[in-house]
Structure formats: C-alpha cells, structure tokens
Amino acid sequence: MGDLGELDRPGTPGSPGGWDARSEEWLTAESGPDGDRTATMADLEGDGETRSTDQPAPAAAHRTTTATPPRTAPRRSQSTPTPRRTAADPVKALMHRHRELCERAVDPLEIAAGLEAHGVTDRTATRFRHRDVFSLAEEMYARASRDGDSPPPTPPPEPPRTRADWALLTLLPGALCAATLTGIHLTDGRPRLITAAVGALAVALALRAALTRGPLSTTHPTHPRTRTLTCWLIAYALLGDGLLRQAITGGPDTLPTGTTDATWPTAGAPALALALSLAPAAWTAHLLTARARRKLTASRGLEDFAAAVHPLLLGAFALYLSTLAALLALTATALDEPAPYAQTMTLGALLYLSRLLTTHGFTHAPALVLTATATAQATALATTFASRLPGCDALGTPVTTLVDTWGPGAVPTLACGIGAATLLLHATRRLTRASAHATTDLQW
C-alpha cells in the first residue's frame, strides 16, 4: 500500500518524452512530425514560468539545438481581426456620417452649427481628439474641401446689412394704423364702418409685406393657424376688454363704434402701439442677429457662444419692451385714452418672442403657445356668456371674480403673460445655440 501511495503522489516528469502510451499518442497528434514536436517541447521548456527549476532538462535542450533551427517570432494567427480604419481616424467616420453637411457647407461655422443640431457637444468633440466643436468643424471643412469637389475655404460671411426697403416696410403698418384710427375718429355712421374695414385690411396687408422682408422674415414653413391666432390676439386687445365687461353686465346691446365713450368701448392705443412697435422689433432682431453672428465667428466653444448670446437675447428683448412702453404712452396721450400697460406689454412680448423663434426656425412652440393663449381668452368669453343659461351660473364665477378684483384686463394679462414667460424660457434655450444663427443668406 505504501508503494501505491507513492505512485498516486503527483510529481514532475523525469524525461522529456511521453509519460505513457496515451500521452505519447496525444503529443504526436498535436505536434505532427518529430521535428515540430521537439521544437514545441523546447518552447514549452524555454518558458521560465512553466518549466520546473528543480529538474532542468539538459538533454532536451541539447536535442533542440541539434535537431531544429533557431526559433523565430511566432506568426500571427490568420483569425486575428485587423483593426478598423475608423478607430485610427474617427473624424473620417464622422465626415462620412455627415457627408451632406460637409458638402454643402460654405464655412466651418455651418458645420459646427449642424453638428450641434445633431447633438454633438464640446464634450463629444474630445472623443474625436478636439477641444471643442468649432475646431472639429474646421478640420472637417478643410478635409472636405481638400478631398472633395467643394470650393476652397471662404472667409466667414459678413453680418447682415441694413437695407432701406425692409426698414421702410416696418414703418408702414404703424402709419396705416394711425391713419385708420384718425379716420374712425373723424367719421361717423356708415363711413366710419367703411373706414374701419378698409383700414384693417390695409394694415393686415402692410403687416404681411413687412414680415416677408428683413430680419423678421423667415423661410421656414409656419403653422397655418399662426396668422389667425395673431389676428385674434390683436383683435382682442382692441375689442376684448370692452366685450368682456359688457358680457358680465348683461350686454352688449350695440356694436362697437370705435370710440372709448361708447357702450362697447374700443382700445385704440394698444393696437396703434403694437403696430408702431413693428419697427423696433425688426431693429432689435437685426441687432441680435448681427451680434450673434460676430460671437459665432469669435467663439471657440458652444458653451462660450451660449454665454455670450444669452445677454444679447435678453438685452434685445428688454429694449423692445422699453420701446413698446414708450410708444404706448405716446399713443395713449395722442388718442386721449388710458394706457393699459400690463395687457399691452405682455401681448407685445408674446408676439415678439413668437416671431423671433419662428424666424430662426423654431415654429412648433410659438404655434402651441399662441393656441393656448387664444384658447384661454376665448374660454373666458364663452364661459361668461354661458353663465347666462339656466343652471350654469357657476361657469362664470372664476372670470367674474377675476374681473371684479383686477379688472377686465386681468384675463389677457394672465394669458399672455404666462405664454410670454414660456416662450422666453424656450428662447433662452434655443436661440443661444449656434445652429439658430448659422444661416448663409443674411443680406435680406
């Protein structure tokens, strides 16, 4: 039993050959001819980590040096995959993904804006061995111009210039609105009705012409209901407060006459101030576009550009509101009417931000906010009239309470104020992006 125990105890083989018949067959099948097998055994024995240091095998080493040539570097297996070329040149893969953008770009700024629109940030640019998106766009533009058929790099486009045609067109709606209100105050009866109808049509056509040229124009498709909603909001500013007050008191019994002392009063000062404010709206939008274009050329990162454009946007917005407040004070004095600052300022802010976003290609949010605002105003009027029905008195309680506390102007002030605040928050996120200002044709 002691001998059997010694046989079961593991130990190191004492010869370089096979340990038994099965191991000899296995070693021969794996190694092929004798020469190959001997070289394989020498490789195994030459490994310092696997060969035992207690029992060196000089015989095996001697046989290796006499039977086989010196060892060479092991050959790479044919199944080893070759590295992809895109791993060594990640920019080339990005150019292939955005091939159309690189082909139609006229400057690196357009490529940078397109990359940002597709979600590429400065942090993402570091994966392509660049510090920011602008340097990545410069390389992509240079390589596209060198490798493709695109023209050589051109200097960045100049900021948009002021032209007399759109500058005069922005003054036309205000002038026609002032003439219409003057005609309404100077006429009576049927001529007044005709003057009001013709004047409203002329102002609408002039407004449309002014919005087709200049910094407030857009080539992006807008929602069909945007114009209708804008007309509704302006009409409510002109007639809505008087109609709501008459609805609460049981009227109206007559049609509006266009004056402030009528049963259904008309607020001409807000409408005239909004029409006149089209010119400062266009000028502030032009200022924002020109300054943002300069910042886009000088910036070296998306975060730097957003930080530089953010105060420009807020400054242009504040400048427009200040001009609108001054115009409202002048028109109220000229027409001898009260100046409803709250509802006029909130409505002007709503329309200004809506047009500014639409001009830069963001059309969905303005249409949605304008729809919600107009719906809120229409709902206030509808519930007030519906409260006259038997058993529906509770429908008019919220609006009646609001009007009794703050006046009829509280309804448009709340509706337009919430909408303007929503669009302002949306504009600070969208209009501070490089893609919102990287247009190629800014000469209008």
Side-chain angles (χ1 to χ4, degrees), residues 373-407:
T373 304
T375 302
Q377 294 180 351
T379 303
L381 291 174
T383 54
T384 302
F385 282 106
S387 63
R388 300 179 182 181
L389 299 175
C392 299
D393 297 340
L395 294 177
T397 301
V399 178
T400 303
T401 304
L402 185 63
V403 172
D404 292 341
T405 306
W406 302 100

Side-chain angles (χ1 to χ4, degrees), residues 192 239 242 245-246 252 254-266:
R192 174 180 291 178
L239 303 170
R245 185 179 293 276
Q246 289 296 313
T254 59
L255 294 177
T257 60
T259 59
T260 56
D261 55 354
T263 306
W264 183 350
T266 303

Side-chain angles (χ1 to χ4, degrees), residues 111-265:
I111 297 180
L115 293 178
E116 185 201 25
H118 286 83
V120 179
T121 61
D122 291 337
R123 185 175 181 180
T124 309
T126 58
R127 303 176 184 176
F128 298 93
R129 305 171 185 174
H130 285 271
R131 64 181 180 274
D132 51 46
V133 176
F134 286 86
S135 60
L136 176 61
E138 289 175 356
E139 180 182 350
M140 294 175 64
Y141 179 75
R143 295 177 62 173
S145 302
R146 181 190 61 201
D147 298 336
D149 298 332
S150 56
T154 57
E158 299 179 357
R161 297 189 299 265
T162 303
R163 296 180 56 176
D165 53 355
W166 67 259
L168 293 176
L169 282 177
T170 56
L171 298 174
L172 187 58
L176 291 177
C177 185
T180 302
L181 291 177
T182 303
I184 290 176
H185 282 277
L186 296 178
T187 57
D188 195 4
R190 186 178 296 272
R192 174 180 291 178
L193 180 61
I194 296 176
T195 302
V198 174
L201 180 61
V203 171
L205 294 177
L207 182 62
R208 181 178 180 181
L211 294 180
T212 56
R213 301 294 299 273
L216 294 181
S217 62
T218 180
T219 57
H220 305 282
T222 58
H223 289 271
R225 64 177 182 269
T226 302
R227 296 178 181 176
T228 304
L229 295 172
T230 303
C231 293
W232 163 268
L233 293 175
I234 297 176
Y236 190 94
L238 186 66
L239 303 170
D241 291 346
L243 178 60
L244 182 59
R245 185 179 293 276
Q246 289 296 313
I248 293 176
T249 58
D253 299 327
T254 59
L255 294 177
T257 60
T259 59
T260 56
D261 55 354
T263 306
W264 183 350

Side-chain angles (χ1 to χ4, degrees), residues 75-95:
R75 292 178 298 177
R76 184 189 304 177
S77 175
Q78 296 181 357
S79 61
T80 303
T82 58
R84 297 177 59 185
R85 296 181 62 185
T86 57
D89 192 3
V91 179
K92 186 174 182 180
L94 186 64
M95 292 178 60

